[in-house]
Amino acid sequence: LMGNIILLKIPTTGGLSHLLTMEAFHKSFPPGTINFISGKGRVTMPPLMKSGRVDALAFIGASSAADRLIKDHPEPHRLKVFLQLEAKNMGVYMPNLFDDNEGTGEQVDWDSIMKETIAGTLSYNGQRCTALKLLFVPKDKSEGLSA
């Protein structure tokens, strides 16, 4: 990283989850090394790419969006590119999610679990880079989710 800066575009949905990342970078790198911008990618990214001042692009999202960003660069053949396209995001259900409420005898709230699972997998018809595509459930609890 010596002599370079990094500009991270934070997603508009779920951006607050990057606060811990920002804090870790702040503690680990000299001031000005890591910078963050927010906003809609279709608005914030094209001007940056068209400037030609971006030497490398790491992108997670749709292949069509990556193609547009690369084409926006005045010298796309010199652009170093790392792409993770059509994401396969995981939903991991921790075993304690299914425990009764610390011995109170309260039942597992399957309705809430299913509501959040469906929202994470099917909102925007699953066509979001944040959509859950793979669900990992403890074996002894999987029957409750598949019923």
Side-chain angles (χ1 to χ4, degrees), residues 32 37 46 68 76 78 81:
I37 60 170
R68 281 192 305 272
R78 296 190 69 198
V81 179

Side-chain angles (χ1 to χ4, degrees), residues 104-136:
T104 63
E106 290 182 29
Q107 296 294 314
V108 173
D109 186 0
W110 289 106
D111 289 339
S112 180
I113 292 170
M114 292 309 297
K115 178 182 172 190
E116 295 302 322
T117 298
I118 290 168
T121 56
L122 300 178
S123 64
Y124 296 95
N125 294 323
Q127 298 299 310
R128 255 204 125 98
C129 62
T130 57
L132 300 175
K133 305 284 194 303
L134 303 169
L135 302 174
F136 291 92

Side-chain angles (χ1 to χ4, degrees), residues 31-130:
T33 304
I34 309 279
N35 301 279
F36 299 89
I37 60 170
S38 63
K40 293 186 178 197
R42 290 183 178 107
V43 174
T44 58
M45 294 306 297
L48 291 169
M49 296 306 289
K50 288 175 183 175
S51 75
R53 298 187 70 186
V54 175
D55 295 321
L57 172 68
F59 181 80
I60 300 171
S63 55
S64 59
D67 289 344
R68 281 192 305 272
L69 290 172
I70 293 167
K71 286 178 185 173
D72 280 344
H73 198 282
E75 298 182 77
H77 60 284
R78 296 190 69 198
L79 185 64
K80 295 166 196 73
V81 179
F82 173 78
L83 303 174
Q84 193 169 3
L85 304 175
E86 318 310 337
K88 299 292 182 220
N89 299 309
M90 297 179 280
V92 180
Y93 296 85
M94 302 306 287
N96 65 341
L97 175 67
F98 303 96
D99 293 344
D100 68 17
N101 199 0
E102 309 220 357
T104 63
E106 290 182 29
Q107 296 294 314
V108 173
D109 186 0
W110 289 106
D111 289 339
S112 180
I113 292 170
M114 292 309 297
K115 178 182 172 190
E116 295 302 322
T117 298
I118 290 168
T121 56
L122 300 178
S123 64
Y124 296 95
N125 294 323
Q127 298 299 310
R128 255 204 125 98
C129 62
T130 57

Side-chain angles (χ1 to χ4, degrees), residues 10-20 22 38:
I10 303 301
T12 51
T13 301
L16 288 178
S17 64
H18 291 278
L19 287 175
L20 296 174
M22 292 176 194
S38 63

